[in-house]
Amino acid sequence: MQLMPVSLAYFLEVARTGAVSEAAQNLRVAPSAISRQIAKLESGIGVPLFVRHPRGMTLTDAGSRLLAHARRSEAESSELLSELRTGSGADARNITVACSEGFARRLVPHAMAVFRRDHPDVTFQLDRVPHQDATRRVAEGIADIAVTYAMGPRHDVRVECAVVVPMAAIVPPGHELASRERVGLAELCAYPLALAPTGTTQRDLFDTGAQLEGLTVRPALVCDAIASKYEFVRSGGGVALVGDLGDLHPEPTAEGVVYVPLDHPVFRRREAQVQTMLGRRLPWAATQFTGLLVSLLRPSPPTS
């Protein structure tokens, strides 16, 4: 069941697909019906919403602004329908979180377990996705909350919290770097390295730092799975990089590795962010869980 006006629902699908024909196929209606509704919407608003191309359609500035409104309306309509059907009132109990792997490993599942101690009726869905996809899912209303890395401010989502996360090298116990309080990038590059793939924030910043220092790096392993990096290091394959999300040092020997802080200013450009949809009023449970995530990410103020 659709609570949004037909014209807005059709507009949303064309914006998603970039083509009237594909939108019509997805919605199982005639392309002419979609074209009429889009034309009616544009006429009523008084500005074009799409630029027509021979092979598709792209949004105008006005269309992009309407898209943000349509996504909020779609998300809130879906929540309302769920509440009406389940009789749960305003407190929707299903929360979808999209996050990149570093957060999916410990921080977010830990927060979910803590939250359910007081709210056992809440059901979570955790989607582990690339960092840019986590943001997209929140912007499109697919996820309620994103926890991901970003470089600088975001304008397509609301950033609830932004924290610079220190970087650390992981080395096996007994490694010559294991006793160091800090290690530089040039020193690190003298060892076989396990690095994230190109296109991730961590790898892009690493490559930038190496370029600034005139370093030539040939990774021993390129991998986007954190568990695989840990096993590579434990097995003596080399050194890897991880973000210190505050859960790396409770028991230094538990992972079979040693953490050595990495000292380079380039990594200060990367932020861990908690993101929600712009202008959307989250249900009570999702709002409370967002607050918990923020409290876990933000460092505690020093006690006097």
Side-chain angles (χ1 to χ4, degrees), residues 22-246:
E22 190 173 345
Q25 184 176 4
N26 291 346
L27 294 171
R28 299 183 180 180
V29 298
S32 59
I34 291 183
S35 296
R36 282 196 302 270
Q37 289 293 336
I38 297 296
K40 181 180 177 181
L41 194 58
E42 290 178 320
S43 176
I45 295 173
V47 295
L49 300 173
F50 292 99
V51 178
R52 274 75 171 173
H53 305 285
R55 294 181 178 271
M57 302 166 71
T58 57
L59 289 166
T60 63
D61 180 64
S64 295
R65 295 172 68 179
L66 181 61
L67 176 60
H69 166 76
R71 285 171 171 168
R72 289 194 298 271
S73 297
E74 182 183 44
E76 290 175 359
S77 295
S78 177
E79 288 164 8
L80 177 59
L81 282 174
S82 177
E83 291 166 8
L84 293 173
R85 286 167 178 160
T86 61
S88 60
D91 297 341
R93 298 294 177 175
N94 297 314
I95 304 174
T96 300
V97 182
C99 64
S100 46
E101 189 186 13
F103 300 98
R105 184 169 179 260
R106 281 184 179 168
L107 188 140
V108 173
H110 169 73
M112 290 173 170
V114 169
F115 193 79
R116 276 184 47 83
R117 290 172 194 165
D118 294 325
H119 310 285
D121 55 338
V122 168
T123 299
F124 286 101
Q125 177 172 324
L126 175 59
D127 296 330
R128 194 186 73 183
V129 296
H131 70 93
Q132 66 272 23
D133 197 32
T135 298
R136 179 189 64 79
R137 287 181 179 226
V138 162
E140 295 182 3
I142 300 170
D144 300 305
I145 306 162
V147 189
T148 188
Y149 286 113
M151 289 192 281
R154 302 288 312 202
H155 304 291
D156 49 347
V157 291
R158 182 171 59 216
V159 178
E160 306 283 353
C161 173
V163 177
V164 174
V165 175
M167 294 297 299
I170 55 174
V171 301
H175 191 277
E176 56 195 69
L177 293 178
S179 61
R180 294 282 299 276
E181 293 184 1
R182 196 164 292 275
V183 64
L185 201 56
E187 295 175 283
L188 202 63
C189 290
Y191 300 91
L193 290 176
L195 298 177
T198 301
T200 60
T201 56
Q202 182 190 111
R203 178 62 185 274
D204 290 349
L205 288 174
F206 179 91
D207 289 345
T208 298
Q211 186 177 16
L212 288 172
E213 295 196 19
L215 302 171
T216 300
V217 182
R218 186 177 179 184
L221 170 66
V222 176
C223 178
D224 61 358
I226 291 178
S228 299
K229 291 180 186 176
Y230 272 81
E231 186 57 35
F232 180 78
V233 171
R234 278 192 294 264
S235 301
V239 177
L241 296 184
V242 293
D244 185 349
L245 291 171

